[in-house]
Amino acid sequence: MTNVVITGTGLYTPEHAIDNAALVAAFNAWVDSDNSAHADAIARGEREPLAYSSSEFIEKASGIKSRYVLDAQGILDPQRMKPKLPQRSNAEPSIQCEMATSAARQALAAAQVDAADIELVIVACSNLERAYPAVAVEVQQQLGTAGYGFDMNVACSSATFAMEMAANAIAAGSVKRALIVNPEICSAHLNFRDRDSHFIFGDACTALVLENSDVAVAEERYEILGTRLVTRFSNAIRNNSGFLNRVTDSDPMALDKLFVQEGRRVFKEVCPMVAKLITDHLASLELNGSDLKRMWLHQANQHMNDLIARKVLGYDPSATEAPIILDRYANTSSAGSIIAFHLYRQQLVAGDVGVICSFGAGYSAGSVVVRRH
């Protein structure tokens, strides 16, 4: 039987951070400008005035206090309110490739693995900066890995879905080592003029090295006891941006070409689905919630994480049992649960069991149960 282990993790964090106060100041400045421009229509009752945002509203709704982004200046400009990233020539590494290779080198160093020994590279994230060539193949070239690579997108669940793909490839014997990277530029698909969501996302990139345990050399390793995935179609989280926009003559700048969601509906429908996924997955491995030492959950909303953990564990989780990183990173889509795993696993000892779980648009959810070796 082939045992698959996680032997290295990496994290790329952008240098720019925006706290709630700065984000709110830019948003409210835009609200003042927009309300002023439509003052007559507002006075006639033909248009509702836009409402201010606030740091208190953001933290109460989500638990988010700050976020890292690739560009803060463009986001905080009330006349622009989106990151400003210069277009690169085809001869330059792509932005996501740069993010991925930075995180990947950390993961490779932790695993004590040479890039040339990696046989599979998966770039898994919610938005890819181009259709082709695959960013994964570009990362393969930049790092000098062997074998093959491909891109995949299951929105916020991309990392755990990629973990199953990589683990299956290793268990089947087609590769011995795989690299997964999750370069998320979430600020580029966020509508910073939507009061209900302008605070949700940040940018980051994570990396994981998975290996056949027979060839692993790193002292710290986490055996993958099992993976389980689930999808269920829903329009409650959606982004309609795509290559057909130009031929359907739809407005490429329309609001539905950015992130949109029905927040309360998502909360109501996703939380029980994810809790059941984890509970059923644990039962299939002859485990239950009391066996978990750590839950590295998708970092979208603290209230969601608290409810899911409570349903699985049977009690309110401590900050140690279900660590939160979204307070300073915000929602980084597929990277969130891996950031939590990267930053909050060192206290575990041999035999301790934890679950990495991500969930989001689709709906989709992935559960990966691991045990400290």
Side-chain angles (χ1 to χ4, degrees):
M1 179 179 177
T2 300
N3 291 326
V4 181
V5 291
I6 302 168
T7 56
T9 63
L11 171 63
Y12 166 80
T13 300
E15 61 178 303
H16 302 288
I18 301 176
D19 63 17
N20 287 345
L23 193 70
V24 165
F27 179 86
N28 289 348
W30 171 74
V31 166
D32 284 337
S33 175
D34 192 82
N35 284 342
S36 177
H38 298 93
D40 291 344
I42 292 171
R44 292 192 299 268
E46 299 170 357
R47 180 187 178 99
E48 289 294 321
L50 298 176
Y52 283 156
S53 184
S54 72
S55 296
E56 294 75 19
F57 160 70
I58 292 172
E59 190 168 348
K60 181 178 180 180
S62 65
I64 297 169
K65 300 178 181 179
S66 186
R67 71 281 299 143
Y68 293 97
V69 294
L70 291 181
D71 173 69
Q73 186 174 1
I75 293 170
L76 297 178
D77 178 356
Q79 302 304 313
R80 181 179 176 85
M81 298 188 77
K82 57 185 176 183
K84 188 170 186 178
L85 305 176
Q87 182 171 327
R88 299 188 177 190
S89 73
N90 291 344
E92 298 175 280
S94 67
I95 298 173
Q96 287 185 312
C97 179
E98 278 195 352
M99 297 169 70
T101 53
S102 176
R105 288 189 174 102
Q106 295 177 36
L108 291 168
Q112 301 175 51
V113 169
D114 291 332
D117 293 325
I118 296 291
E119 300 168 286
L120 168 60
V121 176
I122 304 176
V123 167
C125 58
S126 58
N127 286 278
L128 291 155
E129 62 181 284
R130 63 171 182 264
Y132 43 78
V135 176
V137 180
E138 184 183 8
V139 172
Q140 178 188 24
Q141 180 191 44
Q142 289 291 315
L143 291 174
T145 67
Y148 64 103
F150 61 87
D151 297 343
M152 60 179 289
N153 175 359
V154 200
C156 293
S157 300
S158 296
T160 48
F161 275 61
M163 291 173 76
E164 175 166 280
M165 300 301 104
N168 286 347
I170 294 170
S174 59
V175 303
K176 292 184 174 64
R177 298 180 179 90
L179 171 68
I180 298 169
V181 283
N182 317 106
E184 295 287 7
I185 311 178
C186 301
S187 63
H189 72 91
L190 179 59
N191 181 2
F192 285 97
R193 291 177 174 170
D194 176 15
R195 182 178 181 272
D196 290 334
S197 65
H198 75 111
F199 53 86
I200 290 179
F201 289 107
D203 303 331
C205 180
T206 48
L208 293 166
V209 172
L210 276 62
E211 300 184 76
N212 182 322
S213 61
D214 291 340
V215 300
V217 298
E219 182 176 345
E220 183 189 6
R221 60 183 77 174
Y222 291 81
E223 180 185 357
I224 295 178
L225 299 181
T227 61
R228 180 168 290 195
L229 312 176
V230 63
T231 55
R232 189 175 77 204
F233 185 74
S234 171
N235 274 318
I237 311 172
R238 194 171 181 107
N239 183 330
N240 285 331
S241 177
F243 79 101
L244 289 181
N245 295 157
R246 64 185 292 270
V247 297
T248 57
D249 297 330
S250 59
D251 180 3
M253 302 302 290
L255 297 183
D256 73 322
K257 305 306 187 290
L258 299 171
F259 167 85
V260 290
Q261 75 165 355
E262 300 174 48
R264 293 186 178 182
R265 178 183 165 194
V266 171
F267 187 97
K268 182 180 179 180
E269 294 175 348
V270 169
C271 288
M273 183 183 84
V274 174
K276 185 177 188 304
L277 170 69
I278 297 173
T279 300
D280 290 351
H281 189 197
L282 291 172
S284 72
L285 299 169
E286 299 183 348
L287 298 168
N288 56 52
S290 63
D291 294 308
L292 293 176
K293 297 296 184 183
R294 195 78 83 248
M295 298 183 71
W296 300 285
L297 298 176
H298 173 49
Q299 303 286 312
N301 182 289
Q302 185 163 353
H303 303 301
M304 294 184 74
N305 285 17
D306 288 345
L307 178 57
I308 291 167
R310 188 182 309 124
K311 286 180 175 291
V312 173
L313 299 174
Y315 56 86
D316 290 333
S318 68
T320 301
E321 290 170 309
I324 293 292
I325 58 91
L326 66 85
D327 56 341
R328 57 194 187 278
Y329 276 88
N331 183 345
T332 53
S333 193
S334 69
S337 59
I338 310 304
I339 296 175
F341 179 68
H342 175 77
L343 295 177
Y344 293 100
R345 70 173 191 270
Q346 282 71 23
Q347 305 92 336
L348 299 189
V349 298
D352 282 351
V353 174
V355 61
I356 302 170
C357 182
S358 58
F359 42 89
Y363 296 129
S364 60
S367 171
V368 181
V369 178
V370 299
R371 179 171 57 205
R372 175 71 189 261
H373 188 271

